[in-house]
Amino acid sequence: MTDKPESIKKVSIICASGDIESVYATLIMSNGAVMEGMEANIFFTFWGINAVKKRSMNKIKTAVIGNPAMPIPSILGLIPGLSWLASKAMMWRMNQLDIPPVDEFLEMIQAGGGRVFVCKAAVDMFMVKKEQLWEGVEDIITVGTFYELAAGGQIIFT
Amino acid sequence: MVQKTLAGKNVEVNDEGYMTTPSEWSRDIATALATEIGITLTDKHWEVLEYLRKSFNEGVALSLRKVGNSGIVDIKGLYSLFPGGPLKKSALIAGIPKPASCV
């Protein structure tokens, strides 16, 4: 019998984009981690910060221009509202599959012990105030603190 | 598949310990399965287990969110009932297959 590799005990996931794909990859992987009994830290930075801003968190979108995976010609992306429509369709389908909106999803992750952080550099750069952030954000931290939190675990960049 | 003796009965389980014939399940077996993973079943646990079995029998695809919205327990409560595996451990004790859900 071969030895089973040691299981992952902790993941720290960095979300640096504010599109549906990156944000949901982050949320699903974090939630999956806590459901498997692992520790999970999420670190939102750059445009990923939109996923934890009260005003934008449930309005994140997918790109219809410059997205080679999107099954429509990029030029059609110029049609006003198409990104909104494509995003609505994705969110509708996800909801059917019990994948919740961003705020509810983050609450689920926290219920399982997951922790949510925001990058200080992103907060400074985008001039975001603490009160604009979702209440569940535990802290605004530097990259150094992030590495301290991630110690001994795996780091994932979405 | 392996045969396993639980609460004095022979039952078949898969490699991960999930019962392969949900109809063989009984409360005694559930108690034995729970004890094996260090969980002492309370009334709240039983409510969740019954909900899971009912949903499974109705063909519902289980997810953490569904259990959280069941009105029996919220998600935080589910984590404290089944630490380290709210859906995985509860399904195991409920004698149903491991839910194939990412959420």
Side-chain angles (χ1 to χ4, degrees):
Chain A
M1 222 172 95
T2 49
D3 281 344
K4 237 179 118 182
E6 204 184 318
S7 56
I8 300 170
K9 305 277 190 314
K10 173 159 88 175
V11 289
S12 296
I13 305 183
I14 303 162
C15 179
S17 300
D19 51 47
I20 289 181
E21 296 87 324
S22 299
V23 171
Y24 271 85
T26 301
L27 298 174
I28 289 173
M29 294 188 75
S30 310
N31 185 60
V34 290
M35 278 176 79
E36 292 295 322
M38 298 175 211
E39 276 181 60
N41 298 310
I42 314 181
F43 186 63
F44 288 101
T45 186
F46 282 91
W47 295 112
I49 204 170
N50 281 357
V52 275
K53 273 165 76 179
K54 278 185 249 183
R55 275 184 70 163
S56 53
M57 64 193 306
N58 286 328
K59 292 180 191 152
I60 57 166
K61 291 189 179 58
T62 189
V64 285
I65 295 181
N67 181 354
M70 187 61 67
I72 54 162
S74 255
I75 188 93
L76 295 181
L78 294 172
I79 301 170
L82 200 71
S83 170
W84 177 83
L85 194 70
S87 307
K88 275 271 174 213
M90 275 172 81
M91 298 300 290
W92 174 79
R93 182 64 190 134
M94 288 204 285
N95 194 47
Q96 278 192 322
L97 297 170
D98 266 334
I99 303 175
V102 175
D103 54 354
E104 188 188 336
F105 214 163
L106 285 168
E107 281 165 19
M108 266 171 69
I109 294 164
Q110 281 193 324
R115 303 170 72 185
V116 180
F117 300 95
V118 172
C119 165
K120 185 172 186 312
V123 165
D124 292 345
M125 191 170 79
F126 294 126
M127 292 184 278
V128 177
K129 295 194 182 75
K130 185 134 204 303
E131 54 271 23
Q132 290 175 280
L133 295 171
W134 175 65
E135 297 82 0
V137 171
E138 195 174 315
D139 206 357
I140 298 167
I141 61 172
T142 62
V143 65
T145 309
F146 168 77
Y147 280 128
E148 277 172 34
L149 284 165
Q154 305 282 331
I155 296 178
I156 302 170
F157 191 95
T158 61
Chain B
M1 303 302 161
V2 270
Q3 286 281 334
K4 194 170 178 179
T5 309
L6 288 165
K9 292 235 163 52
N10 269 339
V11 293
E12 221 168 57
V13 297
N14 68 12
D15 298 345
E16 292 183 296
Y18 288 80
M19 289 175 68
T20 50
T21 317
S23 58
E24 289 179 343
W25 183 86
S26 68
R27 286 177 73 102
D28 289 343
I29 289 175
T31 308
L33 284 166
T35 309
E36 277 189 357
I37 54 171
I39 292 174
T40 309
L41 298 176
T42 62
D43 289 348
K44 206 67 186 166
H45 286 94
W46 286 113
E47 275 185 63
V48 174
L49 297 177
E50 273 151 28
Y51 167 80
L52 293 178
R53 287 189 62 81
K54 187 170 156 276
S55 305
F56 171 74
N57 288 329
E58 288 167 358
V60 176
L62 283 165
S63 69
L64 193 59
R65 191 190 196 195
K66 274 212 185 79
V67 186
N69 288 337
S70 65
I72 295 166
V73 68
D74 62 12
I75 294 174
K76 201 166 186 175
L78 191 65
Y79 271 99
S80 34
L81 292 175
F82 302 95
L87 210 50
K88 224 169 54 164
K89 290 187 180 170
S90 54
L92 182 116
I93 301 170
I96 62 170
K98 184 176 170 182
S101 165
C102 289
V103 283

